[in-house]
Amino acid sequence: MGIVKLIIVVLVVWLGFSIWRKLRQPKNSSMPQPSSTKMVSCSVCKTHVPENEAIIKDGQIFCSTKCLG
């Protein structure tokens, strides 16, 4: 009967350790992914904005209509 108890204790400890290790691993889905969008600087205020959100007029880059006008 002593060997059965030992096997059960070893299994419980192993299971607990496995669960603990799994919980300590960082979750990849919750970490923000780096953007591949190029950042550009506004010609007026020097704020950096994604290139696809920037306003380009006469070869100059603007972050918003406030800086454009």
Side-chain angles (χ1 to χ4, degrees):
M1 193 69 172
I3 191 86
V4 173
K5 286 183 182 179
L6 179 63
I7 291 172
I8 291 173
V9 169
V10 169
L11 286 174
V12 168
V13 169
W14 175 79
L15 182 63
F17 181 73
S18 296
I19 292 172
W20 177 78
R21 239 181 40 195
K22 188 169 199 134
L23 291 175
R24 295 216 358 117
Q25 289 179 349
K27 295 181 175 132
N28 292 337
S29 61
S30 66
M31 297 180 74
Q33 298 297 321
S35 175
S36 60
T37 304
K38 180 180 175 186
M39 299 294 284
V40 293
S41 178
C42 176
S43 298
V44 177
C45 68
K46 306 301 181 206
T47 300
H48 286 82
V49 294
E51 188 176 35
N52 61 342
E53 294 178 20
I55 302 168
I56 301 173
K57 184 174 181 183
D58 299 328
Q60 291 187 322
I61 300 169
F62 301 96
C63 65
S64 66
T65 55
K66 286 183 181 180
C67 286
L68 178 64

